[in-house]
């Protein structure tokens, strides 16, 4: 039977095969130095996912273990993980392990991210020692540890979003598609109203993180609601002494306390963590700051340890903090702005190792997260005359009224003089989730099979009130839009995945993982209804071992393809209604310097888009792992194409309103001091009455005006692509110098060209046409330049962009176990940085007032480029799209008024170099980090970013100018910090 037939046969018969004779694995785990038993150490058999936890005597039992060789992984908090190959024979096997404490006395210590071994797709892991050495302050900072990553100065003032395999200022909402889980609980940002971006991680205590796994490759179908990979965070779990940590840098102070307590008598383990951190932007005035106060509690216990272990995990965490400038005495007039960043979350997890012939493991998880993102602003306001504050929610005409006479008036006359305004932005996202999954592991001959099936339900909503004000007397023009009345976003997912492993011979193995996930999204009470999304994924890996004596020890090749779907955010689903307020009448000022205003309000509800599709990505991931006598080499090529990226657009609806000019008052014959104004809510006719009763009421004349009301509508833009190459080369340690050299880097390329047709008016709708009327024309353009859903697509000379970069880092790590010291010197360089705004529909002109030119070929440089809308429409016929270029040329010679009006829709580059390619010359910086352990109880870390404080010049080919690296943002500014850890 040839190789292909063997694979097919294994897939056909894997579900019908039965185990051979199963045996029992027993043993004990003790400390290497003190020989004391270690309780709650986990012993996991990697091939079949069987596991056990040690008891108070450090002993464990795993039953029904298939005969043959298996790999046992033993781990426990505070100890170095150990991997042992065990042979299970007819009498079972005994495994006794001595774990070494995890400290700098170990021979192998890494302070960089490393490629996770034995994974079928690209995955990187970052351990606690690396986080300590680099003094990571927020989870978002870990991107600097990945291949080609660039250092950032740690601070809580910057709420940077964690993104994988993407760049800045790109379409496709890359950070929004990056999934982040802490102890299996998803940090969800779907219910946020003001953004479609990645979830904030500032509130996650970095000091309580034990390890981080970053999977930018093809993730298991267990993980959904993503398009750009998954980040899995594991917090401290297990018995430990009191650990007191303190860190300080130029703008941040942090202190934390951790403890893992064994309750004894099989009562379980409790871990708690307390942290306070505070960052400020200006050391000279450290009052405006962001602070983080976090409490985490975790309880774990294992029941039936020697038969069918049932693991119970209960977690509860909460944080209080946020941005606050209220206490800053340097701010003028007591104005301030602050934003809460409070959160609470909890989860219960049951993991039951049944180890039956029909099921191996069953897992259930229930979790919730709730956040309070309430903002508060307090500002000093002033006005020398009354101003209208419009709060109208319905269509019609309304006239301003004094607040004291009618506090609930649709339009209120604002005060004069000075006052303080206190406003709030209330957002409270809430997410629930339930997960149930089971796996079935079987071994038969040279084959191992693992089947995973599961179901997941999540529900996201927002309990916030939206924007509101403390005193409506001072509330400016604003409309209430409550988030707590919006329908919840519910998602039910079903998934199945099968992993087949086969030992071809003693030196070759092959693995195949195939899975599919179905997401059923239900938005009750919404026009979107129920939407289904199918996500198939496939991974393969081939492994070849040559032996330790060969120059090449081993070779591993992997490839994967997958589709992943990102659910929309509330910002996309429920854009706030729009209101167009047109001045219908304004009176002359009275003796108290008050003017009465009337407005016509035309509300427009949020536009439902029946054609809106969920954003998804098709991804490829190809990798090579080569282990040789001189170096370990890891290469990973990726390609991702994002379909249906969300894009905000404007819609324009014609309407007519009546306008009464102040000149009409002159003929009323009523003295200004005695005038009383009224406006008919439906007709807009203004009536002036005489308060003295001398004159009869006068109906004022009016003019009719035509204009538009705008509203936001979310659509799907054209696909975009990202691809690149990541590499890590770890050279073997130079024994005499105790130094290891790493070279890591990445090549990244991004391209987006959008041809989506959208409406826009580059000038204000209040602009006057040639005939004196309000502007009546709407342009329809192909592709906009907006890269964020926070901004609507607007007419721009550019409708796409291309960028690329090559970043490479060299890290020298010197580790001297005898003196417990590790020193890392990292040289970061950007060898190639390229970007260019692109346009597929422009014309090159010679001057800033020309409207006809030669077609732009995408290559011309230092030229002014103009762009026409493809079509335009008029107020009288909004549904009729008129070809623009043809009409403009005709109007240039036949209708000068129309020509002048249509040229208002033409957009042009601000500078001749706007569409030039921009290549930056290479630049670099150097960072130093040192960690020293003093005995078993004290550890000190120091780092200095850009310690050479490079002031080199960077040349830009776009403008021909040179810019200093100092303060440019290309490299971090000179920055340093110190941390101290005590084990008590």
């Amino acid at each position: 039977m040839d190789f292909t037939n063997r694979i097919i046969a294994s897939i056909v018969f894997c579900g019908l095969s039965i185990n051979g004779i199963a045996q029992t694995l027993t043993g004990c785990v003790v400390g290497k130095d003190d020989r004391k038993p270690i309780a709650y150490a986990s012993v996991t058999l990697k091939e079949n996912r069987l596991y056990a936890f040690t008891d108070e005597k450090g002993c464990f039992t795993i039953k029904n273990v298939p005969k043959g060789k298996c790999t046992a992984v033993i781990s426990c908090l505070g100890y170095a993980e150990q991997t042992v190959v065990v042979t299970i024979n007819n009498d079972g096997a005994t495994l006794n392990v001595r774990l070494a404490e995890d400290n700098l006395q170990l021979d192998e210590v890494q302070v960089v991210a490393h490629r996770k071994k034995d994974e079928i797709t690209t995955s990187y892991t970052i351990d606690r020692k690396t986080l300590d050495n680099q003094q990571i302050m927020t989870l978002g900072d870990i991107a600097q540890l990945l291949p080609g990553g660039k250092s950032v100065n740690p601070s809580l003032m910057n709420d940077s979003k964690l993104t994988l395999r993407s760049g800045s200022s790109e379409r496709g909402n890359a950070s929004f598609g990056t999934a982040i889980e802490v102890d299996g609980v998803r940090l969800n940002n779907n219910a946020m109203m003001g953004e479609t971006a990645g979830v904030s991680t500032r509130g996650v205590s970095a000091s309580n993180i034990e390890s981080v796994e970053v999977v930018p490759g093809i993730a298991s179908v267990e993980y959904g609601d993503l398009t750009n990979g998954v980040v899995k965070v594991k917090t401290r779990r297990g018995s430990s002494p009191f650990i007191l940590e303190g860190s300080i840098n130029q703008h941040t102070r942090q202190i934390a306390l951790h403890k893992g307590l064994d309750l004894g008598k099989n009562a379980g383990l409790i871990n708690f963590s307390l942290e306070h951190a505070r960052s400020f932007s200006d050391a000279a005035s450290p009052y405006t700051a962001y602070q983080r106060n976090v409490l985490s509690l975790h309880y774990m216990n294992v029941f039936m340890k020697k038969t069918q272990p049932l693991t119970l995990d209960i977690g509860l965490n909460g944080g209080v903090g946020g941005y606050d400038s209220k206490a800053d005495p340097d701010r003028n007039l007591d104005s301030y702005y602050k934003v809460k960043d409070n959160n609470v979350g909890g989860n219960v997890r049951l993991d039951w190792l049944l180890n039956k012939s029909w099921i191996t493991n069953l897992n259930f998880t229930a979790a919730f997260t709730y956040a309070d993102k309430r903002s508060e602003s307090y500002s000093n306001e002033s006005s020398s005359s009354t101003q209208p504050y419009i709060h109208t929610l319905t269509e019609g005409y309304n006239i301003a009224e004094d607040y004291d006479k009618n506090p609930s008036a649709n339009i209120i006359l604002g005060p004069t003089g000075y006052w303080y305004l206190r406003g709030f932005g209330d957002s409270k996202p809430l997410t629930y989730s339930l997960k149930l999954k089971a796996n079935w592991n079987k071994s038969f001959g040279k084959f191992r099979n693992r089947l995973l099936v599961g179901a997941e339900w999540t529900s996201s909503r927002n309990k916030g009130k939206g924007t509101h004000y403390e005193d409506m007397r001072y509330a400016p023009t604003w409309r209430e839009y409550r988030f707590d009345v919006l329908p919840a976003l519910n998602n039910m997912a079903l998934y199945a995945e099968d992993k087949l492993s086969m030992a071809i011979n003693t030196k070759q193995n092959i693995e195949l993982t195939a899975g599919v996930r179905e997401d059923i999204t239900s938005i009750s009470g919404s026009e979107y209804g129920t939407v289904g999304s199918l996500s198939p994924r496939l991974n393969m890996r081939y492994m070849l071992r040559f032996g330790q004596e060969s120059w090449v020890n081993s070779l591993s090749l992997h490839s994967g393809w997958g589709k992943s779907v990102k659910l929309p955010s509330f910002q996309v689903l429920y854009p706030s209604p729009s209101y167009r307020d047109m001045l219908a009448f304004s009176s002359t000022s009275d003796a108290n310097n008050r003017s009465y205003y009337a407005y016509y309000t035309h509300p427009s509800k949020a536009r439902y888009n029946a054609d809106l599709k969920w954003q998804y990505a098709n991804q490829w991931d190809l990798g090579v792992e080569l282990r040789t006598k001189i170096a370990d080499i890891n290469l990973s090529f990726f390609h991702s194409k994002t379909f249906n990226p969300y894009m905000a657009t404007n819609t324009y609806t014609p309407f007519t309103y009546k306008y009464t000019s102040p000149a009409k008052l002159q003929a009323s014959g009523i003295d200004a001091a005695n005038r009383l104004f009224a406006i008919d809510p439906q007709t807009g006719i203004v009536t002036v009455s005489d308060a003295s009763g001398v004159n009869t009421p006068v109906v004022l004349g009016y003019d009719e005006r035509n204009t538009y009301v705008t509203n936001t509508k979310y659509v799907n833009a054209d696909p975009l692509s990202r691809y690149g190459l990541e590499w890590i080369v770890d050279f073997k340690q130079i024994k005499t110098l105790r130094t290891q050299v790493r070279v890591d880097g990445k090549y990244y390329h991004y391209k987006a060209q959008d041809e989506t047709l959208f409406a826009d008016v580059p000038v204000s709708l209040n602009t006057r046409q040639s005939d004196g009327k309000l502007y009546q024309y709407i342009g329809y353009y192909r592709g906009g330049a907006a890269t964020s859903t926070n901004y609507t697509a607007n007419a721009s000379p550019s409708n796409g962009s291309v960028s690329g970069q090559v970043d490479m880092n060299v890290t020298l790590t010197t580790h001297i176990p005898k003196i417990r010291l590790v020193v890392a010197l990292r040289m970061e360089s950007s060898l190639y940085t390229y970007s260019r705004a692109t346009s597929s529909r422009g014309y090159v002109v010679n001057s800033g007032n020309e409207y006809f030119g030669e077609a732009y070929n995408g290559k011309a440089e230092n030229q002014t480029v103009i762009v026409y809308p493809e079509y335009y429409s008029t107020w009288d016929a909004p549904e009729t799209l008129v070809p623009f270029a043809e009409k403009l040329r005709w109007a240039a010679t036949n209708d000068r008024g129309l020509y002048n009006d249509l040229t208002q829709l033409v957009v042009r580059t601000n500078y001749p170099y706007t569409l030039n390619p921009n290549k930056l010359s290479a630049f670099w910086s150097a960072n130093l980090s040192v960690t020293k352990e003093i005995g078993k109880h004290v550890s000190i870390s120091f780092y200095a970013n850009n310690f050479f404080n490079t002031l080199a010049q960077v040349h830009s080919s776009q403008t021909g100018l040179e810019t200093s690296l100092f303060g440019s943002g290309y490299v971090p500014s000179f920055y340093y910090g110190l941390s101290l850890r005590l084990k008590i």
Side-chain angles (χ1 to χ4, degrees):
M1 181 181 293
D2 60 21
F3 177 74
T4 302
N5 290 333
R6 292 168 66 186
I7 290 290
I8 296 174
S10 68
I11 296 175
V12 172
F13 291 108
C14 70
L16 304 176
S17 300
I18 60 174
N19 258 354
I21 299 174
Q23 308 299 331
T24 300
L25 174 65
T26 61
C28 293
V29 180
V30 299
K32 183 178 181 181
D33 297 329
D34 57 16
R35 301 296 196 273
K36 291 183 179 180
I38 300 175
Y40 291 99
S42 68
V43 182
T44 304
L45 304 184
K46 187 168 60 177
E47 289 80 4
N48 47 40
R49 300 295 180 95
L50 301 179
Y51 65 89
F53 288 90
T54 57
D55 57 20
E56 290 183 322
K57 297 180 181 179
C59 298
F60 67 92
T61 300
I62 303 179
K63 295 185 177 182
N64 299 326
V65 181
K67 289 175 58 177
K69 289 186 177 182
C70 60
T71 305
V73 180
I74 304 95
S75 62
C76 186
L77 181 66
Y79 293 88
E81 184 178 279
Q82 190 170 335
T83 301
V84 181
V85 177
V86 184
T87 300
I88 309 297
N89 52 36
N90 290 332
D91 298 323
T94 300
L95 175 63
N96 294 315
V97 179
R98 291 185 292 176
L99 289 182
E101 291 188 18
D102 191 8
N103 55 41
L104 296 185
Q105 283 188 311
L106 299 174
D107 287 335
E108 293 186 9
V109 173
Q110 292 183 323
V111 290
V112 292
H114 54 276
R115 177 76 164 80
K116 189 175 182 181
K117 300 178 181 178
D118 301 322
E119 280 296 319
I120 200 169
T121 190
T122 302
S123 177
Y124 304 101
T125 59
I126 303 167
D127 61 18
R128 183 68 243 175
K129 287 192 294 292
T130 302
L131 299 175
D132 286 337
N133 185 260
Q134 299 295 321
Q135 297 186 40
I136 298 298
M137 187 65 60
T138 70
L139 188 59
D141 294 342
I142 66 169
Q144 65 184 300
L145 301 174
L146 301 178
K150 295 305 170 193
S151 295
V152 295
N153 292 329
S155 173
L156 298 176
M157 296 300 290
N158 301 318
D159 190 15
S160 57
K161 310 295 185 180
L162 180 59
T163 61
L164 303 176
R165 292 178 169 176
S166 62
S168 60
S169 300
E170 294 181 352
R171 300 182 185 182
N173 315 301
S175 67
F176 187 56
T178 302
I180 300 176
E181 294 192 350
V182 179
D183 293 328
V185 178
R186 177 68 61 89
L187 302 183
N188 191 303
N189 206 38
N190 290 344
M192 287 296 289
M193 289 297 303
E195 61 181 20
T196 300
V199 64
S200 172
T201 59
R202 282 194 297 184
V204 178
S205 172
S207 63
N208 192 38
I209 295 175
E210 180 64 20
S211 63
V212 181
E213 180 183 355
V214 181
V215 185
I218 311 302
S220 165
V221 294
E222 179 182 349
Y223 302 98
D225 195 15
L226 56 86
T227 52
N228 281 74
V230 60
V231 177
K232 296 181 279 187
V233 179
K234 180 182 178 182
T235 60
R236 299 177 191 261
R237 297 287 186 268
S239 179
S240 71
F242 281 101
I243 301 175
L244 179 64
E245 301 183 33
S247 64
I248 185 173
N249 60 42
Q250 289 137 290
H251 296 105
T252 302
R253 311 288 184 262
Q254 180 189 38
I255 187 169
L257 177 66
H258 317 282
K259 171 64 178 174
L261 179 63
D262 186 346
L263 300 178
K265 298 182 180 180
N266 296 319
L269 280 170
I270 287 182
N271 286 86
F272 76 84
S273 173
L274 289 168
E275 185 204 55
H276 167 74
R278 187 173 186 270
S279 290
F280 46 87
S281 56
D282 186 359
S285 181
Y287 297 95
T288 298
Y290 178 95
Q291 67 173 338
R292 179 176 71 198
N293 303 286
V294 179
L295 168 64
S296 298
L297 298 171
H298 177 261
Y299 173 78
M300 184 190 80
N301 203 356
V302 183
F303 307 95
M304 302 180 291
K305 288 183 180 178
K306 296 186 178 181
T307 55
Q308 295 176 335
L310 174 63
T311 306
L312 170 66
D313 282 283
I314 302 175
L316 181 66
N317 60 82
V320 177
Y323 174 87
D324 188 1
S325 66
K326 182 176 181 179
D328 191 345
D330 295 334
R331 296 183 67 88
N332 295 326
L333 301 174
D334 297 327
S335 296
Y336 65 83
Y337 179 73
K338 59 182 180 181
V339 183
K340 289 182 179 180
D341 195 359
N342 303 337
N343 61 84
V344 62
N347 67 289
V348 176
R349 174 173 173 152
L350 291 169
D351 203 334
W352 196 3
L353 181 61
L354 296 168
N355 202 8
K356 300 290 187 179
S357 60
W358 55 277
I359 187 173
T360 302
N361 193 72
L362 184 65
N363 176 278
F364 171 77
T365 303
F368 80 94
T369 59
Y370 173 77
D372 182 359
K373 304 288 186 178
R374 186 172 184 255
S375 64
E376 179 183 345
S377 61
Y378 188 67
S379 58
N380 182 265
E381 308 290 338
S382 65
S383 179
S384 59
S385 62
T386 57
Q387 298 297 319
Y389 295 157
I390 307 173
H391 307 144
T392 310
L393 295 175
T394 57
E395 182 178 359
Y397 296 85
N398 292 275
I399 196 165
E401 301 180 52
D402 292 322
Y403 180 82
D404 292 328
K405 294 180 180 180
N406 186 6
S408 60
N410 286 326
I411 304 178
I412 293 172
L413 278 178
T416 58
Y418 296 87
W419 67 94
Y420 282 94
L421 174 66
R422 192 190 305 274
F424 304 94
D426 189 34
S427 180
K428 294 182 173 69
L430 171 66
T431 298
Y432 300 98
S433 66
L434 296 173
K435 299 179 184 178
L436 181 65
K437 63 180 180 179
N439 63 68
W440 178 71
N441 301 307
K442 288 295 177 182
S443 298
F444 46 99
K446 296 182 178 181
F447 300 96
R448 295 193 306 272
N449 189 74
R450 177 177 181 262
L451 176 65
L452 171 69
V453 295
E456 177 183 0
W457 174 82
T458 59
S459 180
S460 300
R461 66 182 313 132
N462 197 308
K463 305 294 288 185
K465 297 180 181 179
T467 302
H468 59 282
Y469 293 89
E470 180 182 57
D471 190 341
M472 290 299 296
R473 178 189 300 273
Y474 305 116
T477 295
W478 148 86
R479 270 78 173 199
E480 183 181 51
Y481 184 55
R482 296 182 66 102
F483 305 155
D484 53 4
V485 299
L486 299 174
L489 174 65
N490 302 310
N491 190 73
M492 180 69 185
L494 302 173
Y495 55 86
E497 184 175 78
D498 193 70
K499 180 178 181 179
L500 178 67
S501 304
M502 183 184 71
I504 301 173
N505 51 46
T506 58
K507 293 186 177 181
Q508 300 181 77
N509 291 73
I510 190 168
E511 294 178 355
L512 172 65
T513 299
V516 64
R517 178 186 179 97
E518 173 71 13
D519 286 282
I520 305 170
T521 308
S522 174
I523 311 172
S524 59
S526 167
E527 295 177 277
Y528 288 101
T530 301
V531 180
S533 307
L534 191 67
S535 302
R537 298 173 199 171
L538 178 69
N539 280 296
M540 297 181 64
R541 184 166 72 135
Y542 169 75
M543 294 158 286
L544 176 62
R545 293 175 291 277
F546 297 96
Q548 295 296 321
E549 300 303 320
S550 301
W551 191 86
V552 177
N553 305 144
S554 64
L555 171 67
S556 175
L557 306 174
H558 76 259
S559 65
W561 173 88
K563 176 185 176 182
S564 52
V565 179
K566 182 70 190 81
L567 303 182
S569 71
F570 273 33
Q571 183 191 44
V572 173
L573 292 175
Y574 312 121
S576 58
S578 295
Y579 297 86
R580 184 80 192 279
D581 300 311
M582 300 302 299
L583 182 65
F585 170 73
S586 63
S587 72
T588 55
S589 299
D590 62 15
N592 296 319
N593 202 25
R594 293 181 304 177
S595 297
Y596 288 86
Y597 302 87
Y599 281 82
Y600 172 74
T601 297
H602 190 101
S604 180
K605 293 183 179 180
R607 292 299 181 94
Y608 159 70
N609 182 4
D611 297 322
L612 185 71
K613 300 178 178 63
W614 292 176
Q615 177 177 311
Y616 71 93
N618 286 341
Q619 297 170 282
W620 282 95
D621 185 67
L622 308 174
V624 178
E625 296 178 61
L626 186 65
R627 306 192 182 280
T628 70
K629 283 190 173 182
I630 63 171
D632 293 341
I633 303 171
N634 294 276
L635 303 174
S636 180
F637 170 79
F638 63 90
H639 181 274
S640 175
K641 190 169 185 179
T642 301
F643 295 85
N644 303 326
Y646 303 121
M647 183 173 78
T649 63
N650 278 327
T651 61
Y652 295 83
T653 305
F655 74 93
T656 301
Y657 73 98
K658 297 181 177 67
Y659 174 74
T660 300
S661 69
K664 304 291 185 181
L665 280 171
Q666 304 303 322
S668 67
I670 300 174
D671 185 73
N674 296 324
R675 289 172 183 170
L676 299 177
F677 302 101
I679 190 169
D680 187 286
Q682 282 75 42
T683 65
I685 295 176
V686 178
T687 301
V688 184
S689 301
D690 191 341
S692 66
V694 175
N695 297 292
T696 59
V698 177
V699 176
L700 303 182
Y702 59 84
D703 299 316
E704 288 192 343
R705 291 182 174 181
N706 298 330
T707 187
Y708 297 88
V709 62
T710 62
N711 205 346
T712 302
K713 179 181 178 181
Y714 283 87
V715 301
N716 298 118
D718 287 342
L720 55 94
S721 65
R722 300 179 174 96
Y723 64 83
L725 176 69
E726 299 169 343
W727 65 87
I728 298 177
V729 181
D730 284 318
F731 292 94
K732 300 297 182 182
Q733 188 183 71
I734 304 172
K735 297 294 184 180
T736 55
L737 301 177
R738 302 293 304 180
T739 298
Q740 185 177 17
V741 179
R742 159 179 282 207
V743 179
D744 67 74
K746 66 180 179 184
Y747 165 71
Y748 174 72
H749 182 271
Y750 162 83
K751 182 178 181 180
Q753 192 73 41
D754 186 50
E755 300 293 339
T756 305
L757 190 68
F758 67 92
D760 188 32
V761 182
V763 297
S764 169
L765 287 174
N766 292 323
T767 300
R768 296 290 177 172
Q769 297 183 155
S770 302
D771 58 6
K773 296 180 180 179
L774 294 177
Y775 199 72
Q776 305 283 293
Y777 301 101
I778 305 297
Y780 289 83
Y781 300 82
R782 286 288 181 186
T787 58
S788 169
T789 53
N790 291 339
Y791 305 98
T792 55
N794 61 297
S796 169
S798 168
N799 65 332
S801 64
V802 178
S803 62
Q805 62 189 77
V806 177
D807 298 324
M808 189 169 70
N809 306 321
V810 178
T811 305
L812 283 74
T813 303
T814 299
H815 172 221
I816 307 176
K818 288 186 177 180
I819 62 173
R820 296 173 177 253
L821 176 70
V822 61
V823 180
L825 174 64
R826 172 163 154 149
M827 307 290 289
E828 300 179 349
S829 64
S830 291
L831 304 179
Y832 172 77
T833 306
Y834 174 87
S835 63
R836 185 171 193 174
T838 60
S839 178
S840 62
R841 47 187 168 61
Y843 297 89
V844 176
V845 295
N846 295 323
S847 66
N849 57 2
E850 292 186 2
Y851 293 95
F852 300 103
E854 299 295 327
Y856 175 63
N857 60 10
K859 298 179 180 179
E861 298 182 18
N862 297 313
Q863 299 286 339
T864 298
V865 176
I866 62 172
V867 168
Y868 298 158
E870 185 165 334
Y871 306 99
Y872 77 94
S873 66
T874 65
W875 190 94
D876 297 315
E879 302 300 326
T880 302
L881 301 186
V882 181
F884 181 86
E886 178 182 339
K887 195 67 173 183
L888 182 67
R889 291 187 179 277
W890 176 87
T893 56
N894 297 282
D895 189 337
R896 203 61 185 177
L898 176 61
Y899 172 79
N900 291 333
D901 293 337
L902 291 181
T903 57
Q904 302 288 330
L905 297 176
V906 178
V907 293
R908 65 183 67 238
T909 54
N910 293 328
Y911 307 100
Y913 59 77
T914 299
L915 298 182
N916 286 1
N918 189 24
K919 295 180 182 178
L920 299 181
S921 56
F923 53 90
W924 63 274
S925 66
N927 305 330
L928 175 69
S929 58
V930 181
T931 298
K932 174 71 173 73
E933 291 180 348
I934 304 173
K936 294 184 177 181
H937 302 288
V938 181
S939 175
I940 300 175
S941 295
F942 170 81
Y943 75 90
N945 287 345
N946 190 15
F947 65 88
F948 284 130
N949 198 20
T950 177
L951 300 177
Q953 299 286 314
V954 177
H955 179 265
S956 167
S957 66
Q958 182 181 34
T959 62
L961 301 177
E962 293 192 347
T963 304
S964 172
L965 284 175
F966 179 77
S968 65
Y970 296 133
V971 298
S973 59
F974 173 60
Y975 208 77
Y976 54 88
L978 180 71
S979 66
L980 173 67
R981 289 171 292 280
L982 302 176
K983 294 183 179 180
I984 305 172

